[in-house]
Amino acid sequence: MGEASEVELTRGDAQVPATPTPGMDRREAFATDGMWVGSVRTDAGMVSGWHHHGDHESTIYLLHGAMRMESGPGGRSIVDAGPGDFLYVPKGAIHREGNPSDEPAEAIVVRAGTGETIVNVDGPAAR
């Protein structure tokens, strides 16, 4: 996407695979120099690999299923979300998503920032 003067459309089934993190199926709808938007699907019972989004802050809207986010020192901060909930992930926050439910989960993700959108890491900081 460049500087468009007209509205653009990406149909749901036309999203393209995005940078992978183990346990997650990310799909990209649009990406510009300062924004990324797409969807993420997680299987029931899965836990993703640890990662962060560099200089991007992210907002997640859970469409269906459940999402558990672990972050902070040692991954000890835990937030559980359900359908209709919004999550905010600050720039550089190391985290991982889990799906503690018995059904797949799907969410819409919007990121604002620059640089790489996904940085996979070994785990959270100890402190």
Side-chain angles (χ1 to χ4, degrees):
M1 287 183 59
E3 280 195 39
S5 60
E6 298 177 6
V7 173
E8 294 184 37
L9 169 70
T10 297
R11 298 206 182 275
D13 61 357
Q15 293 181 73
V16 297
T19 305
T21 293
M24 305 176 76
D25 178 23
R26 284 194 191 94
R27 301 287 171 164
E28 180 180 295
F30 293 106
T32 67
D33 289 340
M35 186 256 331
W36 183 95
V37 64
S39 62
V40 62
R41 180 176 153 63
T42 58
D43 290 330
M46 84 73 173
V47 177
S48 77
W50 291 98
H51 61 282
H52 64 83
H53 303 287
D55 286 330
H56 285 79
E57 54 189 339
S58 302
T59 301
I60 302 166
Y61 177 74
L62 194 57
L63 295 167
H64 56 84
M67 185 177 284
R68 175 170 288 155
M69 299 284 280
E70 298 172 75
S71 65
R76 289 186 295 274
S77 176
I78 298 172
V79 175
D80 287 312
D85 289 343
F86 288 88
L87 295 159
Y88 172 74
V89 181
K91 295 177 183 181
I94 296 174
H95 63 285
R96 68 179 177 184
E97 285 96 328
N99 180 350
S101 74
D102 59 359
E103 65 179 87
E106 187 164 6
I108 302 299
V109 181
V110 177
R111 292 194 176 92
T114 59
E116 294 293 319
T117 58
I118 308 294
V119 179
N120 294 312
V121 297
D122 291 333
R127 310 187 198 176

